């Protein structure tokens, strides 16, 4: 098969690799129908995270099951499936607790499983999925192609935006601030709207993203950052912070901004992958009674809740894709995301 | 009146001060019936926090209303009242949100109000209470003296232990770890038991406190600290952390220990006053999806829930008092707490 391999900063290649085979009776092999590039893929691409050796990359895909091992029960050959960006066995104590990202057999596509075995990347033609029953979710009836982008966001960005909103305790009628206007931040706006938030302030300084934020339900836009951004929010909200602030970036600055925008007793939901080791100041949390929760999104258990809304057309998170390319042009997709000429790039094998 | 003044580290004096008077129509003056020494009073006593000038000290009291201003509606002269350790106006947006500790007119007894006016200390014969309606809670019918210690804990330590348990999302059937065996930690054990926790592990290396922890509902005791303590908890809980960990100390070490004892997706409730500026590592929170909440306890709204259980005898949090002294011997009370010969000292004017 052809699949995407990162060789180092700025060096993305679409290369021939052996077709994946069933190796364990709990495996499935999935033919990828759509995949995409994630903001976090840019970290090794930009050299922010090292790439000691070439490896497959990409962690978001939907596809059709091509083969299953003898013990697989929940998916069949021919099923149209969504894969969370991680695998999970579905049976360990953490999976049973709903934290599939802490599964004892956890692994991210393109990375390594806890056993040390390398996992296929999602930006390829095929992916071998260990623990298929605990990982894959079947889409009932084969969906129309126009649904593919929306379904693909459930693999990561929409589910992660939803995780921000759940972790940030977004309630009907709530005031919400979303920090970050990438695909995840935009999906967090949509998730907040879906959960009934009344006032949703998107922090963004890019016109195209502001437009999509409004389409997803943002009632206000704040372009200022840092303490100016915090002051602008307080003014919008009558002098106090928001009930819920959703942090979708992960830097020290964005975390400072997010924390400063929460009202006393409010909630900070964070899903931005921490960069530069930001820390939370205990004294500030102590004096304000702000709740903090979030992290890497346990996508699998959220799919039962989100999938019906995508299938019914109630939400259209796939609108975050503003560029579509053939998978073979994956390197161009990275360039577009890196240079911010696209919010998120859809790839078609 | 006679009241307690701290002059500097180790220098506690019981001194004559003018009797408090009604200054504002929303004031009440309360005659103190019982007060006590808090673990946090030891910080200036030990010089951990500076005492730039002598000031009244003590923030826990119950008493009888002696006088009220013209606008006071909820309490009357002769009422037996509990005061939270802070005052609150009961009308601002933060009070309405239930975060009375963020009240725009917030102040801690013995400290200063946000207006800069000095507040009376609780370790004295009388206390002037600004915003009496928003602060004081009346005990229906005059309680028997044997209830006084239990009622007094509602001013701070029992309500704070309850806040730890609520912030830590203690649920019926949950596994709970309590870090800290001071009065607050012990009350957090009792609060967890009251909320239906099934397994309560108290971390303590002092035999008298272990005994009281068991009496309050602890099912297990772990004497080890740090990583050894975390390992001991994992062993008790079948290899994973606890659903809820309640941090009742506030140091970097205790926070590390607490965080390490939470299961993925679990809850850390913290009420220990942060000492030495501990910070929360975002990367650890991100990868484990641990929820963090807590802080200075908004006591006032909790009293409606806790007071009936004290009056009925369902809980006896006043057992944390293991020494009782006349108020005039307040300096001896500080010595006993400082030298850990007493868990908590009750003072009777």
């Amino acid at each position: 098969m052809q699949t995407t391999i990162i060789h180092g900063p700025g060096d993305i290649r679409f290369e021939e690799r052996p077709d994946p085979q069933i190796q364990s009776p709990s495996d499935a092999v999935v033919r990828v129908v759509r995949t995409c590039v994630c903001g976090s893929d840019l970290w090794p691409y930009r050299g922010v995270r090292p790439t000691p050796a070439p490896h497959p990359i990409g962690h978001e895909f939907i596809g059709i099951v091509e083969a299953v091992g003898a013990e697989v029960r929940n998916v069949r050959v021919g099923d149209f499936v969504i894969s969370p960006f991680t695998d999970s066995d579905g049976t360990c104590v953490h999976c049973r607790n709903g934290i599939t990202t802490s599964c004892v057999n956890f692994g991210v596509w393109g990375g390594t499983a806890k056993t040390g075995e390398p996992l296929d990347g999602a930006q390829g033609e095929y992916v071998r999925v260990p623990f298929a029953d605990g990982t894959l979710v079947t889409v009932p009836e084969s969906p129309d192609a126009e649904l593919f982008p929306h379904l693909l966001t459930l693999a990561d960005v929409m589910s992660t935006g939803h995780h921000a909103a759940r972790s940030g305790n977004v309630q009907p009628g709530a005031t919400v601030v979303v920090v970050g206007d990438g695909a995840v931040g935009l999906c967090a706006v949509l998730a907040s709207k879906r959960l009934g938030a009344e006032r949703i302030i998107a922090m963004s300084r890019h016109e195209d993203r502001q437009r999509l934020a409004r389409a997803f339900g943002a009632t206000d836009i704040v372009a200022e950052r840092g303490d100016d951004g915090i002051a602008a929010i307080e003014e919008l909200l009558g002098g106090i912070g928001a009930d819920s602030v959703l942090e979708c970036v992960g830097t020290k600055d964005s975390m400072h901004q997010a924390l400063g925008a929460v009202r006393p007793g409010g909630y900070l939901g964070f899903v931005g992958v921490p960069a530069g080791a930001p820390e939370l100041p205990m004294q500030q949390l102590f004096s304000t009674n702000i709740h903090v929760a979030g992290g890497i999104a346990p996508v699998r258990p959220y799919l039962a809740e989100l999938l019906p809304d995508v299938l019914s057309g109630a939400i259209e998170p796939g609108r975050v894709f503003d560029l579509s390319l053939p998978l073979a042009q994956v390197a161009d997709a990275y360039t577009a995301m890196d240079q911010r000429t696209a919010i998120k790039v859809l790839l078609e094998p």
Side-chain angles (χ1 to χ4, degrees), chain A:
Chain A
M1 67 163 172
Q2 302 273 102
T3 196
T4 305
I5 306 290
I6 183 165
H7 285 256
D11 189 357
I12 295 288
R13 305 183 200 171
F14 196 55
E15 294 181 345
E16 190 68 30
R17 289 280 164 126
D19 283 350
Q21 309 289 337
I22 300 292
Q23 293 176 20
S24 148
S26 59
D27 286 357
V29 172
V30 177
R31 177 169 62 80
V32 173
V33 169
R34 291 291 185 280
T35 178
C36 55
V37 181
C38 183
S40 65
D41 292 333
L42 297 180
W43 290 30
Y45 183 79
R46 289 173 174 162
V48 179
R49 279 195 178 165
T51 301
H55 65 83
I57 189 167
H59 52 262
E60 298 152 285
F61 70 101
I62 53 176
I64 292 170
V65 177
E66 288 278 312
V68 294
E71 290 173 7
V72 174
R73 294 285 170 271
N74 299 344
V75 299
R76 296 181 205 187
V77 172
D79 277 0
F80 193 100
V81 291
I82 302 169
S83 173
F85 65 91
T86 66
D87 78 344
S88 52
D89 64 22
T91 57
C92 77
V93 62
H94 303 305
C95 285
R96 294 199 310 275
N97 282 333
I99 313 296
T100 46
T101 43
S102 292
C103 174
V104 299
N105 285 302
F106 165 86
V108 179
W109 306 121
T112 47
K114 284 211 176 160
T115 55
E117 76 173 328
L119 296 169
D120 291 332
Q123 291 159 3
E125 292 176 316
Y126 294 90
V127 174
R128 182 181 68 88
V129 177
F131 306 102
D133 280 343
T135 302
L136 300 171
V137 170
T138 299
V139 180
E141 302 174 26
S142 203
D144 290 339
E146 55 261 42
L147 277 178
F148 291 170
H150 308 304
L151 291 169
L152 179 57
T153 65
L154 297 182
D156 186 345
V157 288
M158 180 61 205
S159 297
T160 295
H162 177 70
H163 186 52
R166 284 285 188 213
S167 300
N169 189 44
V170 172
Q171 297 289 324
T175 56
V176 178
V177 170
V178 177
V179 179
D181 63 0
V184 169
L186 293 165
C187 285
V189 169
L190 184 59
S192 299
K193 175 74 177 173
R194 182 179 168 276
L195 292 171
E198 190 174 298
R199 190 93 183 255
I200 302 171
I201 303 172
M203 305 195 77
S204 171
R205 35 172 68 174
H206 302 92
E207 214 177 300
D208 55 335
R209 294 162 192 243
Q210 291 175 357
R211 216 166 20 239
L212 191 50
R214 286 202 186 269
F216 277 177
T219 54
D220 303 86
I221 304 287
V222 166
E224 294 90 340
R225 291 194 183 173
D227 291 333
D228 291 343
I230 293 169
I233 287 162
E234 283 208 357
E235 198 177 315
L236 281 172
L237 296 179
I240 62 165
D243 297 326
S244 301
V245 176
L246 313 185
E247 199 287 327
C248 306
V249 181
T251 63
K252 202 178 170 81
D253 285 350
S254 65
M255 189 55 76
H256 168 77
Q257 183 171 300
L259 207 53
V262 191
R263 70 162 171 81
Y267 291 77
L268 172 64
F270 74 98
V271 293
V273 184
E279 295 196 323
L280 283 170
M282 291 298 300
Q283 185 59 57
Q284 186 181 355
L285 297 183
F286 184 85
S287 58
T288 56
N289 271 285
I290 290 172
H291 305 66
V292 177
I296 179 170
V299 170
R300 183 55 158 76
Y302 286 139
L303 293 183
E305 179 181 355
L306 297 174
L307 179 55
D309 278 9
V310 164
L311 293 176
S312 73
I315 56 172
E316 295 186 328
R319 295 174 68 181
V320 294
F321 294 110
D322 54 353
L323 179 61
S324 183
L325 291 173
L327 178 54
Q329 292 179 37
V330 59
D332 298 335
Y334 276 78
T335 305
M337 299 259 303
D338 179 42
Q339 297 178 355
R340 295 178 80 91
T341 58
I343 298 174
K344 194 167 176 74
V345 185
L346 186 73
L347 295 166
E348 185 176 350

